[in-house]
Amino acid sequence: MDKTVKKRIALITTWFPPQKSVATNRMEAFAKYLADDFDFEVFGLNDQKSEIIWNDNVLVHYNSSNTLFDKLKSNQSDGKWKHKFKTLLRVILMKLSSNPLAKWKQNTKVDLVNRHKLAPFDVIISSYAPIEPHLIAAEMVQEFPSLIWVADMRDEMSKNPGILASQLELYKSVESLVNQYATIISSVSKPIVDDFSVLCPNIKSSLEVRNGYDHDFQPNSENKMNGIFTLGYFGSFYGVIKPDVFFQALVEILNDDNEFDFELNIVGAHNNFNIPEKILSKVNRVAPLKYTDAIESMSKMDCNVLINPRSTRKGVYTGKLFDYISVQRSVLALVDTDDVAAQLVSDFDAGYIAECSEIEDNKKAILAAYKDWQNQQMKTASIENIQSLHRSHQVKILSDQLKKLLN
């Protein structure tokens, strides 16, 4: 596609580098891969108003909200208590202020209109949460009806069981705007996409664009097993995501079988969990690793552990699962067996699945993995299936749909 005839896209988001979060990773992928085929600009949030060129080909316009809200954004580098303190202050701020992002919204809208008048956009993408990007996009489409609006939903809105009752009507009103003015809804998993298809029946196209993984690490084609059955867990334990049932399953297997042995590496977790004495000598705590180092470390495990208990929410993969699958090692998925993570592991024949809260189920999955390890034939995803989860492939789903609409 000749650069002079590229269609133009504006992305509106409060999550873009230097902000650090899982949400930022998704927005980076949109910018990185859509910029291959489109002129791409970002309208984001930072500590002060500025413009930069990101990744050599993306113009980013930053505005600040000039409130404590800017300084209280959570970062992946925050420790456990710092994260909790920031979250508490943000909740208090949200209650004290009806709209802490009002100034950011106003200034971002002005910049967006100015850029549109100078060099018209063909598409605007807004990403929730928070709601302000969607509100800006809805105003833009009403002023400039030729725009195609993509409403990206990283999470549920009115269907989110965690929202406050006081927020419900507000979220429903934003969904109504999306239904009235957006052309495409995208989200991270099919159950969430399906919910929005019902909530917003006027939308022409609803797309599942998974978060996926974004690295070029090449798995070892020989896929050899370690000398001892080696398990890895990468990331934190928080809320209901705790290893207690998994640990108890390991304890009971050791009590039942003197031949069973293992090594468990817990990488990057806070010290907010207890390891039973029976398995203490078999568990290694490892400090947090950079993303590329963590990927390489995952590739050296025989089996990587995913813990995500059953809840009222459906459509939850967690980004960790995509990284686990990407290194072509087995996944021990201790999850909601009726949700998408279990379905993906099953569809890709990528590992072993158990209901997270059931000790006997955990034991069966662990022993199945252990038996396959002994036979040097553990389950792993195919290269073709792995490649389908790369963020470049996932963003292409959106890119292809936009090309159809624009042509």
Side-chain angles (χ1 to χ4, degrees), residues 294-355:
I295 292 297
E296 184 172 357
S297 183
M298 289 174 196
S299 76
K300 295 176 180 177
M301 305 296 146
D302 295 312
C303 199
N304 289 302
V305 182
L306 180 69
I307 298 176
N308 198 35
R310 181 178 291 267
S311 74
T312 54
R313 291 187 70 197
K314 296 295 180 184
V316 181
Y317 283 110
T318 80
K320 192 183 307 179
L321 174 59
F322 301 120
D323 288 335
Y324 284 175
I325 290 175
S326 75
V327 296
Q328 208 177 21
R329 306 299 275 184
S330 287
V331 179
L332 179 61
L334 312 178
V335 295
D336 175 349
T337 54
D338 295 320
D339 202 10
V340 290
Q343 187 64 55
L344 183 62
V345 173
S346 176
D347 288 347
F348 282 11
D349 197 25
Y352 310 85
I353 303 164
E355 185 67 37

Side-chain angles (χ1 to χ4, degrees), residues 3 73 93 151 161 235 256 278 289 315 317 338 353 360 365 398:
K3 187 175 178 64
K73 292 180 79 69
L93 183 61
D256 294 341
K278 180 81 174 181
L289 299 173
Y317 283 110
D338 295 320
I353 303 164
E360 290 302 319
L398 175 57

Side-chain angles (χ1 to χ4, degrees), residues 379-397:
K379 297 178 178 180
T380 58
S382 68
I383 294 296
E384 181 181 9
N385 282 336
I386 289 172
Q387 290 173 345
S388 74
L389 297 178
H390 195 285
R391 283 194 178 131
S392 61
H393 179 90
Q394 290 299 309
V395 174
K396 188 175 184 297
I397 295 169

Side-chain angles (χ1 to χ4, degrees), residues 225-272:
M225 305 293 105
N226 290 295
I228 184 172
F229 184 47
T230 305
L231 300 162
Y233 180 90
F234 292 77
S236 300
F237 297 114
Y238 56 91
V240 296
I241 299 178
K242 289 288 193 286
D244 300 353
V245 175
F246 172 50
F247 284 170
Q248 186 58 36
L250 290 169
V251 168
E252 292 188 13
I253 293 172
L254 282 173
N255 288 337
D256 294 341
D257 184 356
N258 292 329
E259 298 299 318
F260 178 75
D261 198 10
F262 71 94
E263 175 183 300
L264 171 61
N265 297 288
I266 298 177
V267 182
H270 299 295
N271 189 22
N272 61 348

Side-chain angles (χ1 to χ4, degrees), residues 122-330:
D122 300 283
V123 177
I124 50 174
I125 302 173
S126 58
S127 194
Y128 163 83
I131 63 171
E132 280 74 14
H134 283 351
L135 296 177
I136 295 169
E139 291 177 14
M140 285 293 295
V141 174
Q142 290 174 73
E143 290 181 40
F144 307 99
S146 65
L147 283 167
I148 292 173
W149 174 17
V150 179
D152 182 54
M153 307 286 192
R154 299 190 310 273
D155 297 299
E156 310 95 326
M157 294 188 72
S158 66
K159 287 281 190 178
N160 191 326
I163 66 170
L164 301 174
S166 59
Q167 296 175 305
L168 184 60
E169 291 307 313
L170 173 61
Y171 284 6
K172 285 184 176 180
S173 71
V174 177
E175 288 169 347
S176 179
L177 287 172
V178 171
N179 184 46
Q180 188 173 356
Y181 295 109
T183 306
I184 297 173
I185 283 181
S186 58
S187 193
V188 297
S189 65
K190 189 175 185 301
I192 299 178
V193 169
D194 289 346
D195 276 345
F196 279 114
S197 296
V198 174
L199 292 166
C200 303
N202 293 342
I203 297 297
K204 294 179 181 178
S205 180
S206 299
L207 302 177
E208 179 186 11
V209 181
R210 297 172 182 171
N211 282 331
Y213 67 92
D214 198 24
H215 64 76
D216 297 317
F217 178 82
Q218 296 297 316
N220 185 341
S221 59
E222 295 182 3
N223 212 23
K224 291 182 178 178
M225 305 293 105
N226 290 295
I228 184 172
F229 184 47
T230 305
L231 300 162
Y233 180 90
F234 292 77
S236 300
F237 297 114
Y238 56 91
V240 296
I241 299 178
K242 289 288 193 286
D244 300 353
V245 175
F246 172 50
F247 284 170
Q248 186 58 36
L250 290 169
V251 168
E252 292 188 13
I253 293 172
L254 282 173
N255 288 337
D256 294 341
D257 184 356
N258 292 329
E259 298 299 318
F260 178 75
D261 198 10
F262 71 94
E263 175 183 300
L264 171 61
N265 297 288
I266 298 177
V267 182
H270 299 295
N271 189 22
N272 61 348
F273 60 97
N274 297 312
I275 304 171
E277 184 67 29
K278 180 81 174 181
I279 64 172
L280 189 58
S281 65
K282 301 178 184 299
V283 179
N284 303 313
R285 298 174 187 258
V286 182
L289 299 173
K290 293 180 180 178
Y291 181 65
T292 52
D293 294 332
I295 292 297
E296 184 172 357
S297 183
M298 289 174 196
S299 76
K300 295 176 180 177
M301 305 296 146
D302 295 312
C303 199
N304 289 302
V305 182
L306 180 69
I307 298 176
N308 198 35
R310 181 178 291 267
S311 74
T312 54
R313 291 187 70 197
K314 296 295 180 184
V316 181
Y317 283 110
T318 80
K320 192 183 307 179
L321 174 59
F322 301 120
D323 288 335
Y324 284 175
I325 290 175
S326 75
V327 296
Q328 208 177 21
R329 306 299 275 184
S330 287

